[in-house]
Amino acid sequence: MRFEKWQALGNDYLIVEAHELPFALTPARVRRLCEGHFGVYADGVLELSRPKDQANVADLRIFNPDGTEAELSGNGAREAIIYLRRHWTDLNEFSIHTAAGPIRPQITGPHTCRVDMGRASLTSKDFPEGPPDGHGELPVEDPVLATLSFQHVSIGNPQCAIHVTSLAALDALDLPVIGPQIEGHRRFPNRTNVSWYSEIETPDPTAQAGGRTRIRARIFERGVGETLSSGTGAIGAAVAHVLGREGTGEQEAHVTVVLDGGELEVEVGDGLRVNLTGWAVPVFEGRLSDNFVKELNETE
């Protein structure tokens, strides 16, 4: 079984091609592959297959390390995109099908791309009780945040974006304690990713549409936990930041999101159309041993 390991801002995935797999990717097999010490170790698995619709270059499935399947991943998608550009296509602009629908990348360099991630929505089946503006409140067991206000954003998968008043307060948050309380809250029947964010540069309320701003974000992903970076998490934080600008409401903006693993560029356009720009690089390629493949075949 051949594979490549890639990373984007420290978010690492194993990339496999479906036609080369000697078995189906079940949750148990994904967990075994991603396991530290006994497996390859990764934040998830990306499975590429020949497209059912020829309008796409490939079909992409994204698996979390706990074996669950994700609708979309900004970092994982970029890794798959640059991989496809190297191995499957000579095109610099193409389409990939995901569980969240098609995404359309534009290759901008050997390791970079700009991806049309579609339109973000403030309502979704993942927050069924939510109002049209996606705002809500949750109680949490935290000495600082007894009750928190959040912005629901759906970008193929659910995001719960929470504004924090200062960078110091953001860094002080105990994400392993409060993250699971939000991820698995009853208001989110399919669980949710969570982004906490704070401004690095105070936005100018008189700035014109399309103005640039920087925010810092920390991410807790469903099925993963606290992570160095998340593309969709960065989008959730950026959209919430743009919507939360006092007196401006929804508008076009360019937001640099600073994550523990690096920076991502998020363009929020008219109607919450979102483009995500960043990099992805290969780490190594290899083949699983016959013995390990046998173990995986025996794993249901």
Side-chain angles (χ1 to χ4, degrees):
M1 174 181 161
R2 185 182 67 85
F3 69 92
E4 290 191 15
K5 184 173 183 179
W6 284 61
Q7 66 96 358
L9 283 73
N11 197 190
D12 58 323
Y13 283 86
L14 305 181
I15 301 181
V16 296
E17 297 186 12
H19 67 277
E20 295 185 353
L21 290 177
F23 44 67
L25 285 179
T26 63
R29 286 170 180 152
V30 170
R31 289 194 295 270
R32 190 77 171 82
L33 279 165
C34 294
E35 191 175 10
H37 304 299
F38 299 102
V40 182
Y41 183 78
D43 289 330
V45 178
L46 307 174
E47 182 188 55
L48 291 168
S49 59
R50 299 299 174 183
K52 294 178 181 177
D53 182 346
Q54 296 306 308
N56 302 308
V57 164
D59 292 345
L60 170 64
R61 297 180 70 190
I62 303 168
F63 296 91
N64 294 318
D66 68 351
T68 57
E69 189 166 353
E71 299 93 338
L72 192 58
S73 163
N75 289 330
R78 285 200 316 285
E79 293 168 34
I81 287 162
I82 304 300
Y83 177 95
L84 288 168
R85 181 61 180 81
R86 290 185 173 203
H87 298 293
W88 284 31
T89 182
D90 293 329
L91 298 174
N92 286 326
E93 295 186 30
F94 49 89
S95 177
I96 300 173
H97 181 267
T98 72
I103 57 172
R104 297 174 178 83
Q106 176 184 20
I107 303 298
T108 56
H111 308 295
T112 60
C113 61
R114 178 177 181 264
V115 187
D116 180 352
M117 301 289 285
R119 294 187 186 275
S121 174
L122 308 183
T123 60
S124 77
K125 61 180 175 53
D126 298 309
F127 183 32
E129 301 174 4
D133 64 4
H135 283 121
E137 290 190 346
L138 287 176
V140 291
E141 297 177 8
D142 183 83
V144 178
L145 300 172
T147 302
L148 55 83
S149 298
F150 67 88
Q151 172 69 63
H152 172 70
V153 178
S154 177
I155 185 71
N157 54 18
Q159 309 295 324
C160 179
I162 300 161
H163 179 255
V164 182
T165 55
S166 70
L167 293 173
L170 178 63
D171 289 335
L173 292 175
D174 192 349
L175 263 59
V177 172
I178 60 176
Q181 298 177 50
I182 303 168
E183 174 198 11
H185 195 275
R186 61 172 181 78
R187 300 191 73 184
F188 307 118
N190 300 312
R191 301 187 297 165
T192 185
N193 299 331
V194 193
S195 302
W196 289 264
Y197 70 95
S198 185
E199 293 81 9
I200 296 176
E201 299 170 358
T202 303
D204 179 359
T206 65
Q208 297 296 313
R212 294 174 177 264
T213 187
R214 291 169 64 84
I215 63 174
R216 161 102 166 91
R218 295 179 65 193
I219 312 293
F220 191 94
E221 282 194 358
R222 57 179 182 170
V224 179
E226 184 173 8
T227 183
L228 291 172
S229 68
S230 165
T232 55
I235 290 170
V239 169
H241 168 69
V242 171
L243 293 175
R245 286 180 170 181
E246 185 177 356
T248 60
E250 183 180 328
Q251 63 167 288
E252 297 182 18
H254 188 132
V255 183
T256 299
V257 184
V258 181
L259 303 155
D260 288 337
E263 298 184 0
L264 288 171
E265 303 297 326
V266 181
E267 299 165 59
V268 182
D270 183 52
L272 297 183
R273 189 93 195 180
V274 176
N275 284 279
L276 180 67
T277 299
W279 54 266
V281 294
V283 180
F284 62 84
E285 59 183 278
R287 292 182 180 274
L288 298 183
S289 71
D290 291 343
N291 184 64
F292 191 40
V293 170
K294 182 175 182 294
E295 289 181 26
L296 289 169
N297 267 307
E298 294 171 351
T299 303
E300 296 184 359

